Amino acid sequence: MWSELKQAIANVELLPLDWVGIRAVKESTTTRFVRDGIPQINGKSSTMGAMVEVIVDGSIGYAATNSCTPQALETAIKKAYQQAISVKNLYIHKFFPQQTRPQVVGEYISPYRDNFDSLSAGEINDHLIKICQHLKVSDKIVQTAAELVTSDRETWFISSNGSQVYQKFLLISSYYGATAQDGLITQQRTSNGWQAHSYQGGMELFPDVNQWQRVEQIGQQAVELLTADECPHTRTNLVLAPDQMMLQIHESVGHPLEIDRILGDERNYAGGSFVKLEDFGNLVYGSPLMNITFDPTVTGEIASYGFDDTGATAKREYLIQEGVLKRGLGSLESQARSGVPGVACARACSWNRPPIDRMANLNLEPGQGSFEDIIADIEYGVYMESNRSWSIDDRRYKFQFGCEYGKFIENGKLTKTLRNPNYRATTPEFWQNLLKVGGQSTWQMYGTPFCGKGEPNQAIWVGHGSPTCVIGNVEVFGGG
C-alpha cells in the first residue's frame, strides 16, 4: 500500500498544492446473530478505498476513491484540488498546513492474543445458541437473542510533508438479552445494554470468563421484572451503574463539548450545544468530584488509537477537572477556528468520509470507596442499571433516560426490585449534584459502535468508562 500512496503524491507535484494527504482504509466485518436459538445472520462485509485531502491557499478540498491504484489516487487528488479552488473565496476560516496538519510518523496496533479466525463460524454460532438456551430460564421468557460482531480495520496515512502512519484495529462487540412476558406486561433485560460490550482485542474476549453465571442472571432478572413494582415518582438520591453512566457521559458531556457543534456546524442535523466558547476555562460544569478525561491510550477500550485521522498524536487530556470545563472535543481545525484547546479527535467512519470532531474514549475518573461504601449512608434512594431509552434536546441541556433494572436503596442497602425506572434533569443540575464517585473497584468500561453524527452520517465507535455514582435530588419516575 505504501508504494501506491507515495507514488500518487509524487506524481502530482506540478499542482500548486500547499499540502496533500491520503488516508487509505481496509476493513472487514463479520456479524453472527442468533434469535431464540436459531441463527439469523451469518454475514461478512469488506470495504477498501481512500480519502484524499488537499489544502490550497487556506481552502480544503476532499475526494474519495474505491480504488487505491496510483492512477485512481492521482485522479482523486486532482478532483480535491478543483474542489478546493472552487470554494476558495467561500471559506469561513483560512487553514495552514503547519498549523493543522503536523508531520507525524508512527504505528498503532490493537492489543490482542487470539485472531478472529481462531473460532470457526460454527463454533461461534454454537456458543450464541447456547447463550439463548441459558437465557430461557422460564416459560415466561418469550424471546432470546445473542450476537457477536468483529471488525478488522487497517489504515494508512501519508502526506506531502512527510507523515506516514499505520494503524490496525481489532474491534469486537457482543450482546445478549431476554424478553419476558406475562399477560400485558413485557420486560427486557440485556447484558449492560445494546452492544455495550465493545472493546479492542481478539477472540480471547469471547466468551467472557464469567459469562454463564451472568447469562442466567439476565434471564432471571427479566422474569423478576414482571412482578416488580413500578419505579415511584419522586425526587431522591439516584445511584447509577457504570453501564448507564456510559450513556450519561456520552450524551450530556461528550456531544455538548464537540467544538464543531458549538461553532454551529452540526446545527442543521444533530443540533448545537448549551456550551459557549467563552465557557472553556470558566464554566463550573459539575461538582468538584467530576473529572472527565479524553483518553485514547486506555488498553482495550474500543476508541483507543495512536493518531487521529489527520495525523494528530493522541494523548490523555482532562476535559473537565474538579468540575471546571478545561478543553473541548475539537480537532486541530476546530482549535484553529475557535481558539479553544482541544484534543486529537478528527475521526472518520470509513474511507469515503472526511474526518470531523468526534468523541473517542471519554471517561469519568474513579473516586473513592466500594459500592457498599458509597450507598452506606443513603437512607432512601433508587439504583438503576443498563440503558433502555434516551431523549435529550438539541442543545444537550434537558434529558430523560430510562433504564432496564432498578432497586430501592433503604438504609444503605439494596432492597426491592423496581421496573421501568426513569430519571430526568438538566445537564448542569445533574453534574453539579454529583455527590459520590466510586473507587476503582466500581469502575468499568463499555463502548458502542453506533455513535452517529455528520452529513452524510458517520457511525463510529466510542468508549466510556465510569465508576458507580451517586447524584442527589434527581427526579425519578416509572412508566414504560
Side-chain angles (χ1 to χ4, degrees):
M1 181 66 72
W2 288 123
S3 60
E4 290 90 341
L5 301 181
K6 290 177 180 179
Q7 183 179 338
I9 286 182
N11 288 350
V12 293
E13 289 181 348
L14 295 179
L15 288 176
L17 301 170
D18 297 322
W19 181 89
V20 56
I22 306 174
R23 174 177 47 87
V25 180
K26 180 181 180 182
E27 185 167 17
S28 178
T29 300
T30 300
T31 302
R32 317 281 182 200
F33 177 71
V34 171
R35 182 187 295 120
D36 296 330
I38 301 173
Q40 305 290 314
I41 300 174
N42 278 289
K44 185 172 184 177
S45 62
S46 297
T47 185
M48 184 174 180
M51 174 62 72
V52 169
E53 180 185 22
V54 303
I55 300 178
V56 182
D57 193 24
S59 180
I60 298 178
Y62 299 98
T65 173
N66 61 1
S67 173
C68 290
T69 65
Q71 295 78 15
L73 293 169
E74 290 171 36
T75 299
I77 292 173
K78 291 174 182 176
K79 288 182 179 179
Y81 169 76
Q82 291 299 327
Q83 183 189 86
I85 290 295
S86 67
V87 298
K88 189 170 63 171
N89 297 321
L90 302 175
Y91 53 63
I92 58 175
H93 185 89
K94 193 169 186 176
F95 295 103
F96 299 97
Q98 61 270 28
Q99 183 185 26
T100 58
R101 296 296 179 266
Q103 180 191 30
V104 62
V105 176
E107 180 178 275
Y108 171 87
I109 299 175
S110 295
Y112 71 98
R113 188 189 69 202
D114 300 333
N115 290 317
F116 288 148
D117 60 4
S118 62
L119 287 181
S120 68
E123 288 171 319
I124 294 172
N125 276 312
D126 286 344
H127 193 87
L128 297 175
I129 291 168
K130 188 177 178 182
I131 289 175
C132 288
Q133 292 169 344
H134 279 251
L135 284 168
K136 195 167 177 59
V137 298
S138 163
D139 289 341
K140 294 185 185 300
I141 298 292
V142 295
Q143 187 176 92
T144 60
E147 183 177 50
L148 180 70
V149 179
T150 61
S151 184
D152 185 337
R153 175 174 180 165
E154 293 179 277
T155 68
W156 297 261
F157 175 74
I158 191 170
S159 71
S160 56
N161 64 339
S163 289
Q164 186 168 312
V165 173
Y166 172 76
Q167 301 191 91
K168 180 179 176 67
F169 304 97
L170 294 177
L171 312 169
I172 182 166
S173 297
S174 61
Y175 161 84
Y176 53 87
T179 301
Q181 187 173 22
D182 185 8
L184 298 177
I185 299 175
T186 302
Q187 291 289 303
Q188 185 181 53
R189 190 73 175 102
T190 65
S191 182
N192 305 109
W194 178 256
Q195 285 200 338
H197 292 271
S198 294
Y199 304 105
Q200 283 190 34
M203 202 57 77
E204 70 275 3
L205 299 178
F206 181 84
D208 181 84
V209 176
N210 301 314
Q211 190 170 74
W212 298 120
Q213 179 181 356
R214 176 65 171 161
V215 168
E216 292 187 2
Q217 180 187 45
I218 291 300
Q220 290 163 359
Q221 288 181 347
V223 175
E224 178 188 357
L225 287 168
L226 294 174
T227 55
D229 289 343
E230 286 276 329
C231 180
H233 190 164
T234 185
R235 277 193 172 270
T236 189
N237 293 301
L238 173 64
V239 180
L240 292 181
D243 61 2
Q244 174 59 25
M245 286 300 297
M246 171 182 74
L247 187 76
Q248 186 70 55
I249 293 166
H250 183 95
E251 299 292 352
S252 69
V253 179
H255 282 308
L257 296 192
E258 292 163 344
I259 295 180
D260 59 352
R261 288 180 70 112
I262 298 170
L263 291 169
D265 295 359
E266 286 287 310
R267 194 170 297 150
N268 183 56
Y269 176 58
S273 173
F274 75 94
V275 177
K276 302 181 290 294
L277 294 179
E278 55 267 30
D279 289 336
F280 289 93
N282 301 303
L283 179 65
V284 178
Y285 207 98
S287 83
L289 299 175
M290 185 183 186
N291 292 285
I292 299 281
T293 56
F294 170 89
D295 195 355
T297 71
V298 179
T299 300
E301 199 163 0
I302 193 169
S304 290
Y305 50 87
F307 310 87
D308 77 5
D309 287 333
T310 62
T313 302
K315 59 180 180 178
R316 182 176 186 265
E317 300 278 8
Y318 275 91
L319 303 182
I320 298 171
Q321 191 167 23
E322 297 181 353
V324 179
L325 180 60
K326 298 294 186 181
R327 64 175 64 226
L329 290 169
S331 62
L332 292 175
E333 290 171 31
S334 290
Q335 292 175 55
R337 287 173 59 190
S338 67
V340 169
V343 292
C345 68
R347 304 173 64 207
C349 68
S350 190
W351 57 269
N352 57 2
R353 298 289 189 272
I356 56 178
D357 292 354
R358 300 307 300 258
M359 282 178 262
N361 297 332
L362 226 60
N363 300 329
L364 177 62
E365 297 299 309
Q368 294 182 340
S370 66
F371 180 84
E372 292 73 18
D373 292 334
I374 68 169
I375 71 167
D377 61 354
I378 298 177
E379 292 184 10
Y380 179 83
V382 174
Y383 168 75
M384 299 186 191
E385 286 183 3
S386 306
N387 184 260
R388 176 172 52 93
S389 64
W390 66 95
S391 175
I392 190 164
D393 69 23
D394 62 0
R395 295 175 61 241
R396 303 285 147 167
Y397 187 77
K398 296 179 181 179
F399 62 80
Q400 175 175 305
F401 296 146
C403 294
E404 292 178 356
Y405 189 79
K407 287 273 192 182
F408 265 133
I409 303 170
E410 297 175 287
N411 299 315
K413 302 290 184 183
L414 296 180
T415 58
K416 189 164 55 176
T417 299
L418 300 171
R419 72 174 179 231
N420 302 326
N422 305 275
Y423 66 97
R424 56 183 164 227
T426 67
T427 295
E429 173 192 15
F430 179 92
W431 288 107
Q432 289 168 16
N433 284 333
L434 181 64
L435 301 180
K436 290 187 178 182
V437 176
Q440 189 64 50
S441 64
T442 75
W443 195 93
Q444 297 176 37
M445 67 180 183
Y446 298 101
T448 175
F450 298 124
C451 176
K453 183 182 172 184
E455 293 183 279
N457 186 260
Q458 299 196 44
I460 207 164
W461 60 87
V462 297
H464 301 298
S466 174
T468 302
C469 293
V470 181
I471 305 95
N473 194 33
V474 180
E475 183 182 3
V476 303
F477 58 100

